[in-house]
Amino acid sequence: MRIAITRDISPAMNHCELTHLARQPIDLDRARAQHAGYERCLRALGCEIRRLAAAPDLPDCVFVEDGAIVLDEVAVIARPGAASRRAETAAIEEALGALRRLVRIRPPATLDGGDVLRVGRTLFVGLSSRTNADAIEQLRAMAGPLAYSVVGVQVRGCLHLKSAATEVAPGTLLVNREWIPADPVGTFDLIDVDPREPFAANALRLGDAVVYSSAFPRTRERLEARGVIVYPVDVSELAKAEGAVTCCSLIVEPQLRAGK
Ligand code: CIR
């Protein structure tokens, strides 16, 4: 069974990191209810949820995606670009250690999992305010021998590469072209976000469906017109912390569990 690692919302979430948004109060009860709805959706799509306990001193701990990159063969423990987030990886490391061989990004590299977009055997890595060129080199050294190619993509105007591009069907990317250059993704089928919904490029693909924020109905129409099955979730409180749907889980595919 596919496993989704999630993590409870921190009571300190109102002190989260913010880069592109102004701070607005987050209603923690509402955020928890939305997060539970997100987990229900993942369960309905066949995931076993393994929820880690919240850390009261780690405001952004719900955004587990940034703590690791889970490949078929190995899990890469990230080194988040925001110093306030570095301690998040300990619990993630413990959870993933049971499921994959672990390797670690080391200083001076910084890398947020939200900057790594896997499409087939290519790992696109956003060069962002969180992820640096050292991380790309280290990832290439780790993943190259496993037959992944690692391609750096300059990200501008958004937090992570996966704010600007995610895969919604095999070889089809949902993109906001304002935030990434055309070249690296040019060979794929592209679906553009509706220009009135710049934050709409983040979708979590699970098999034939995507989990998708209900805040983007116009882009949702574009997805459905292209045959993508959309499971909408309300994540408006998490969005106030610059979180989106991919960031709230680490998906561990089942096939290689025995080969750990
Ligand atoms: C941060 O700025 O690090 C958090 N407030 C939001 C992280 C969202 N993560 C993601 O998109 N992968």
Side-chain angles (χ1 to χ4, degrees):
M1 193 178 199
R2 181 183 276 147
I3 293 169
I5 295 174
T6 63
R7 193 163 188 181
D8 263 340
I9 286 180
S10 171
M13 196 179 185
N14 273 294
H15 301 287
C16 66
E17 292 285 335
L18 285 176
T19 309
H20 295 281
L21 295 185
R23 196 168 294 280
Q24 295 180 63
I26 297 170
D27 178 330
L28 293 183
D29 287 339
R30 197 151 176 250
R32 287 194 183 98
Q34 291 179 351
H35 189 244
Y38 170 85
E39 288 177 332
R40 272 197 303 282
C41 185
L42 266 58
R43 229 177 256 119
L45 287 166
C47 296
E48 173 194 326
I49 303 289
R50 294 202 186 164
R51 188 195 300 153
L52 310 178
D57 52 339
L58 298 173
D60 281 305
C61 70
V62 66
F63 302 123
V64 286
E65 171 182 57
D66 294 318
I69 302 145
V70 183
L71 302 176
D72 300 337
E73 306 81 357
V74 77
V76 180
I77 303 300
R79 184 167 180 269
S84 71
R85 300 200 56 193
R86 299 237 166 99
E88 290 176 29
T89 56
I92 290 171
E93 191 165 330
E94 203 183 316
L96 286 174
L99 301 165
R100 291 287 190 275
R101 179 169 69 82
L102 301 180
V103 290
R104 293 169 187 81
I105 296 291
R106 307 277 185 198
T110 61
L111 177 135
D112 280 12
D115 272 318
V116 182
L117 169 65
R118 178 181 171 181
V119 186
R121 300 302 291 185
T122 302
L123 302 178
F124 292 102
V125 185
L127 277 163
S128 68
S129 60
R130 300 291 175 84
T131 297
N132 63 19
D134 295 297
I136 295 188
E137 262 175 50
Q138 289 187 23
L139 202 54
R140 192 170 283 134
M142 291 165 186
L146 301 170
Y148 292 92
S149 53
V150 176
V151 178
V153 180
Q154 187 65 53
V155 171
R156 281 186 215 289
C158 63
L159 185 57
H160 290 127
L161 175 59
K162 274 189 272 189
S163 320
T166 52
E167 192 185 39
V168 292
T172 302
L173 303 187
L174 177 62
V175 291
N176 178 339
R177 297 192 214 200
E178 299 284 313
W179 290 343
I180 48 167
D183 296 1
V185 294
T187 57
F188 298 101
D189 275 343
L190 301 181
I191 302 176
D192 289 294
V193 297
D194 184 287
R196 289 161 291 181
E197 296 176 341
F199 292 94
N202 187 269
L204 172 63
R205 181 173 160 234
L206 290 171
D208 293 335
V210 297
V211 180
Y212 193 61
S213 168
S214 55
F216 308 122
R218 297 181 180 97
T219 305
R220 177 184 171 179
E221 276 178 24
R222 294 182 179 207
L223 289 168
E224 289 177 334
R226 296 282 285 270
V228 178
I229 302 165
V230 177
Y231 280 67
V233 285
D234 180 1
V235 287
S236 55
E237 292 303 307
L238 300 162
K240 292 178 185 171
E242 291 188 48
V245 285
T246 61
C247 8
C248 295
S249 57
L250 277 165
I251 304 297
V252 185
E253 297 293 346
Q255 66 268 24
L256 289 186
R257 278 162 76 187
K260 182 204 146 204

